[in-house]
Amino acid sequence: MAGRRKAPAPFPSDEEILRFIHESDTQVGKREIARAFRLDAQQKMLLKKRLREMELTGTLQRGRGKHFAEPGTLPSVSVVQVSGLDSDGDVIAKPVNWDHDTPMPVIYMKPEKPGHPALGIGDRTLAKLSSLGDKNKDGAPLYEGSTIRRLTETTAKVMGVLETSSGHFRL
């Protein structure tokens, strides 16, 4: 019969949703979750509420746009600041904005392109990040970053002497 409808798929558990997000190679939003679990219109409304609850409890983190990620993960593009060098001389950076309870990720920056100056401690850059899938001894996730664009400081300090000359000021 052509008019017969299929029974709706069972609603996924929180663990199944998190597993799907973790195992996905692409960014995951509500639409991708609904498609993967073959949810009908009523279940999609329930999914929206469930995702909001998971976000409020800290089980899930909203990423860029309408995408979701596991808590404590970095987006694929982020502003980072060079914090030092490791024992091998590799440049290490940290995310500029980090307000999670999980350990701060360690970002190993790739060498700069030929003709560009090397990154120094304190430099900020917009970087493309990719997870290495490992964690260091402190449990912090490891990432690899490559510079997209260097960011300049917003405020520059100017020092001078202010003199008065015939009622006018001169720096």
Side-chain angles (χ1 to χ4, degrees):
M1 300 183 116
R4 182 178 271 180
R5 292 184 134 191
K6 292 181 182 179
F11 193 78
S13 67
D14 292 357
E15 292 79 24
E16 291 173 321
I17 293 171
L18 288 173
R19 189 177 324 113
F20 174 73
I21 292 171
H22 178 71
E23 293 174 356
S24 177
D25 294 334
T26 60
Q27 293 183 334
V28 176
K30 183 181 75 162
R31 177 181 293 169
E32 289 78 16
I33 296 169
R35 281 185 186 157
F37 292 103
R38 296 187 315 267
L39 304 180
D40 64 12
Q42 289 180 342
Q43 289 175 323
K44 287 178 187 177
M45 290 188 300
L46 184 61
L47 176 65
K48 183 178 179 180
K49 290 178 185 176
R50 189 67 209 129
L51 291 173
R52 190 177 308 126
E53 289 172 7
M54 290 173 72
E55 188 178 352
L56 290 174
T57 60
T59 312
L60 197 61
Q61 170 184 323
R62 184 175 293 275
R64 194 173 201 147
K66 296 183 177 184
H67 298 109
F68 294 97
E70 293 179 85
T73 57
L74 292 173
S76 60
V77 175
S78 185
V79 177
V80 299
Q81 183 171 8
V82 176
S83 58
L85 302 172
D86 70 355
S87 59
D88 296 327
D90 294 327
V91 177
I92 297 177
K94 62 181 180 181
V96 172
N97 297 323
W98 187 257
D99 56 354
H100 301 285
D101 296 335
T102 58
M104 184 178 292
V106 177
I107 304 164
Y108 289 95
M109 296 298 293
K110 289 182 180 178
E112 296 300 298
K113 295 176 184 174
H116 293 267
L119 292 171
I121 295 175
D123 287 347
R124 286 182 176 216
T125 178
L126 181 66
K128 181 176 182 178
L129 304 176
S130 59
S131 175
L132 296 175
D134 295 332
K135 294 187 183 228
N136 68 3
K137 62 183 177 187
D138 299 326
L142 301 176
Y143 285 82
E144 181 178 59
S146 59
T147 301
I148 295 173
R149 191 174 104 205
R150 285 184 182 225
L151 304 175
T152 59
E153 290 293 323
T154 56
T155 59
K157 295 181 181 178
V158 177
M159 186 176 210
V161 177
L162 185 64
E163 296 178 341
T164 59
S165 172
S166 30
H168 294 81
F169 291 98
R170 188 168 63 184
L171 184 62

